Each structure stands twice: as structure tokens, then as C-alpha cells.
Amino acid sequence: MHTRSTLLLRDSQVRVMENTVSNAEKYFGQFCVLLAAYTRKTAKLRDKADLLVKQLLDFANTENPEMRTTLKNFAEELAKVQDYRQAEVERFEMKVINPLRLYGTQIKQTRNEIKKFNKVRNNEIKQLEKLERLRQKSPSDRHTISQAETNVQKASVDASRTTHQLEETIDTFQKQKLKDIQKIFSDFVTIEMVFHAKAVEVYSKAFQILENYDLERDLEDFRAKIHGVSGNLDARPINATNPSSSVPWSFASPSAQSTLQNQRQEEETISDDISEEEDQVENLRETRTSQIRR
């Protein structure tokens, strides 16, 4: 009777363990697929924005001096946002997608442990059923029954030991799973915060560039050209002039907006490795800018 109740307890335990692994396999797989699609969409948005930058630069070359300079500087700020978006995509891959992909292997290993346990448990059931059949068919065969009882005891001890090992394995799996899901989505949110904080900073500068545009001066040049009078159409430099020296993914530069300052402080606390990406994003900016302007 004690053995039967033990078997029922182990059945209940293994169901909980199997459900834990199955749920992790299902939802981590779905998270991986969805976040990979999210990352691809972000990359496509970056590509479309690059095309917009190129069109702005092409259009700027057809316009009068004030609009030409304004659009070139404005396009340069938009290009900066795409540099940050590119870094965002790469960090999604490294800190979010890759850890989720690795769970496939970990889940497979844990399932193998459960299979080993089931094999041992099935042997215990088999030995118990064999003993019960002997007691029914040959109740007087004490020697055979005694041997069967010994086999049941051995199988029970083996199952008990395997159950304990599996409990430790599943407990470790569950603890790591909970830590990982916290870490993965904390990284996801951190990456988004960094991008959006920097994007707001750059977009604010882009907005100010448009606000400072001198429409009347361009109209004077245009009207002079219409009437055949030599204006100052080529008086201004063709290349965009952008004195910005902000460092990508850095929150050290001052800002007039307290919200951005708080976000910078929070990001410095959450992510220790952002500073390592500064040179990478700076090089990326130079490469992407040259590609866009070709």
C-alpha cells in the first residue's frame, strides 16, 4: 500500500516537472519567434529611414542655400537616429534573441533527465506488478515471492534516488528560467530606453534645425534668380555642417530636459557594457553615412 501511494506521489511530481519544461519550451519558443520578428521590423524601419535620408540629401542639392543647408543638417540628424537603431538591432540579437535560442538545448537536456526518471519509475511499477501476480498465482511460493519483494525494494530505492536527482535538476532549471526571463526582458527594455532617449535628443536637435530655417532669405534668392539677378545661390557650403560631438549610447552629455537626465542615470545603473559599444557605433556611423551619400 505504501508503494502504491509512493507511485502516485511520483506520478504527480513528474507531471509538474513535465509541465514546467513543456511551458518553457512553448513560451520561450514563441518569445523567440516574436522578438526575432520585432527585430527584423526594426531593421526594416532603419532601411526605410536610410532611403529617406538619401532622398533628403538628393533634394537638398536642388534647393537654394538656406533650405540646402537646413535639409543636409536635418538629414544628418536623421542618419544619427538610424545609427542608434542599428545598434539597437544588434543588441537585440545579442542580449535578447540569442539567449532565447539557447533554451532549446537546455530544454532538451532537461527532457532527457525526465526520460531517465520515467524509465526507472516504469521499472518500479513493473516489479511491483510482478510481485502482485506472484502473490495471486503462487501464494505458497515463499522463495520466489521473497525474491520479487527484494526486486521491488531495489527498484523503489533506485526510483527514490532518481526522483531526488530529478527534483534538484528541475529546481535548478526553474530557478535559472525565472532569472533568465527577468534578465532577457530587462535587457529588452533597457535597449529600448537607450534608443528612445538618444532618439528624442537627436530629434529635438533636428526639430530645432527646421525651426531655424530662414525662409525669407531663400525666397529672396529664388526671386532674384527668377529675375535674372545674381543671388547667392552657391554662397553657402554644400556639405552639411554639424558640430555635434555627442557620443553614441552615452548619457554623459548635459540636457535641458530632466526626464532625459533621469533616463541617463538609470541606464548607467542598469547596463555596464554600453560604454564598450561607443567606438563600434561611431565606426558604424561613419560607414553608414558614406554609404548613404554615395
Side-chain angles (χ1 to χ4, degrees):
M1 191 70 177
H2 173 71
T3 304
R4 281 294 180 187
S5 63
T6 301
L7 286 173
L8 290 174
L9 175 61
R10 286 174 185 158
D11 283 343
S12 176
Q13 287 177 310
V14 78
R15 279 198 297 272
V16 172
M17 295 173 185
E18 287 176 335
N19 286 338
T20 298
V21 176
S22 294
N23 286 335
E25 183 176 34
K26 174 184 176 181
Y27 289 104
F28 273 63
Q30 290 177 347
F31 289 146
C32 187
V33 170
L34 288 172
L35 288 168
Y38 185 100
T39 302
R40 288 194 299 273
K41 289 289 185 181
T42 302
K44 288 181 179 179
L45 180 58
R46 171 208 62 207
D47 293 341
K48 293 298 183 183
D50 281 345
L51 291 176
L52 175 60
V53 169
K54 188 177 186 305
Q55 287 294 308
L56 283 168
L57 292 172
D58 289 346
F59 176 64
N61 287 326
T62 69
E63 284 297 315
N64 292 317
E66 289 295 322
M67 178 58 74
R68 183 191 310 175
T69 301
T70 296
L71 285 181
K72 284 181 178 290
N73 288 337
F74 175 72
E76 188 170 325
E77 296 304 312
L78 290 187
K80 283 184 184 178
V81 175
Q82 307 325 309
D83 295 336
Y84 293 124
R85 206 185 300 275
Q86 172 64 21
E88 180 187 32
V89 168
E90 292 176 0
R91 296 188 73 209
F92 277 154
E93 283 287 343
M94 179 178 66
K95 291 180 173 290
V96 178
I97 308 302
N98 287 341
L100 287 171
R101 284 178 182 147
L102 292 175
Y103 254 82
T105 301
Q106 191 168 350
I107 288 171
K108 184 177 180 180
Q109 293 172 347
T110 307
R111 281 200 180 281
N112 288 335
E113 293 299 318
I114 294 177
K115 287 180 180 179
K116 291 178 184 177
F117 167 79
N118 283 331
K119 184 177 180 180
V120 173
R121 184 191 58 167
N122 290 338
N123 180 59
E124 182 184 20
I125 294 172
K126 179 181 177 181
Q127 294 300 329
L128 182 62
E129 290 175 344
K130 183 177 180 181
L131 173 61
E132 291 178 346
R133 285 197 302 269
L134 283 172
R135 284 173 175 171
Q136 291 175 0
K137 293 182 178 180
S138 307
S140 59
D141 190 351
R142 298 305 308 164
H143 176 72
T144 305
I145 290 175
S146 177
Q147 183 63 43
E149 288 174 342
T150 300
N151 291 338
V152 168
Q153 185 64 26
K154 288 180 179 179
S156 180
V157 170
D158 193 17
S160 178
R161 183 179 65 254
T162 306
T163 300
H164 181 68
Q165 293 173 347
L166 184 59
E167 286 176 356
E168 291 182 345
T169 298
I170 295 298
D171 186 81
T172 300
F173 174 83
Q174 178 70 355
K175 181 179 179 180
Q176 189 62 47
K177 183 194 77 175
L178 296 176
K179 288 174 63 178
D180 286 344
I181 203 71
Q182 179 190 32
K183 178 69 164 56
I184 288 168
F185 281 100
S186 291
D187 284 340
F188 173 79
V189 171
T190 298
I191 293 166
E192 287 282 42
M193 283 195 301
V194 174
F195 168 74
H196 287 290
K198 292 304 297 182
V200 167
E201 186 176 334
V202 177
Y203 280 136
S204 297
K205 186 170 182 179
F207 179 82
Q208 196 59 51
I209 289 171
L210 295 175
E211 283 289 290
N212 293 337
Y213 167 58
D214 190 344
L215 182 146
E216 290 302 324
R217 188 162 184 174
D218 260 353
L219 281 177
E220 289 177 8
D221 286 336
F222 177 73
R223 288 163 182 164
K225 184 179 179 182
I226 288 292
H227 291 89
V229 179
S230 177
N232 63 339
L233 184 62
D234 298 316
R236 296 180 181 273
I238 293 178
N239 292 330
T241 55
N242 193 335
S244 173
S245 60
S246 61
V247 181
W249 300 96
S250 168
F251 282 73
S253 60
S255 171
Q257 302 180 41
S258 61
T259 301
L260 285 177
Q261 290 175 343
N262 292 334
Q263 288 175 328
R264 291 191 182 94
Q265 293 171 358
E266 184 175 0
E267 172 55 21
E268 287 174 351
T269 302
I270 295 174
S271 181
D272 295 331
D273 62 342
I274 289 178
S275 59
E276 298 177 3
E277 299 178 8
E278 293 177 355
D279 292 338
Q280 176 187 351
V281 178
E282 191 63 41
N283 292 336
L284 176 65
R285 172 177 298 168
E286 294 174 0
T287 302
R288 283 164 50 77
T289 300
S290 64
Q291 289 175 343
I292 291 170
R293 290 183 173 178
R294 285 175 184 173

